[in-house]
């Protein structure tokens, strides 16, 4: 799933999170530069928690803040296939 630079914002991040919920075979998510903030990134984090095949997650340039980074870190803990996680400001 590659939706970089689409300006989806917090609401769109939540919608993407809901849309991918349960897609355990998804391996690649790139949502960089979408202005999702901590709320949108947190909703995506909730969805990826069960993605046992996810190897790449890119949420950079979304201004996720400290709380958003914490939610993402908690969500990906234990996802052993994850080899790349990008969360830069």
């Amino acid at each position: 799933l590659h939706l970089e630079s689409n300006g989806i914002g917090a609401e769109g991040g939540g919608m993407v999170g809901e849309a991918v919920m349960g897609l355990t075979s998804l391996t690649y998510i790139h949502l960089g530069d979408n202005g999702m903030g901590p709320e949108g990134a947190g909703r995506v984090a909730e969805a990826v928690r069960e993605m046992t095949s996810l190897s790449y997650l890119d949420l950079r340039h979304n201004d996720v803040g400290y709380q958003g980074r914490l939610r993402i870190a908690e969500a990906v803990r234990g996802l052993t296939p994850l080899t790349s996680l990008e969360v830069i400001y």
Side-chain angles (χ1 to χ4, degrees), residues 36-86:
M36 291 190 296
E39 182 182 331
R43 302 270 304 276
V44 171
E46 291 170 18
V48 303
R49 191 177 302 271
E50 304 299 323
M51 292 183 175
T52 54
S53 299
L54 190 66
S55 62
Y56 181 90
L57 177 60
D58 188 330
L59 297 172
R60 62 189 147 161
H61 305 292
N62 275 295
D63 195 25
V64 300
Y66 178 74
Q67 290 301 318
R69 287 191 301 274
L70 279 178
R71 290 178 72 181
I72 294 163
E74 290 170 3
V76 300
R77 185 181 315 154
L79 290 181
T80 53
L82 191 67
T83 58
S84 182
L85 174 62
E86 305 262 357

Side-chain angles (χ1 to χ4, degrees), residues 9-52:
E11 185 177 355
M15 293 169 81
V16 168
E18 289 174 19
V20 300
M21 189 81 67
L23 297 178
T24 57
S25 62
L26 195 60
T27 61
Y28 176 95
I29 298 177
H30 191 319
L31 295 170
D33 195 26
N34 274 298
M36 291 190 296
E39 182 182 331
R43 302 270 304 276
V44 171
E46 291 170 18
V48 303
R49 191 177 302 271
E50 304 299 323
M51 292 183 175
T52 54

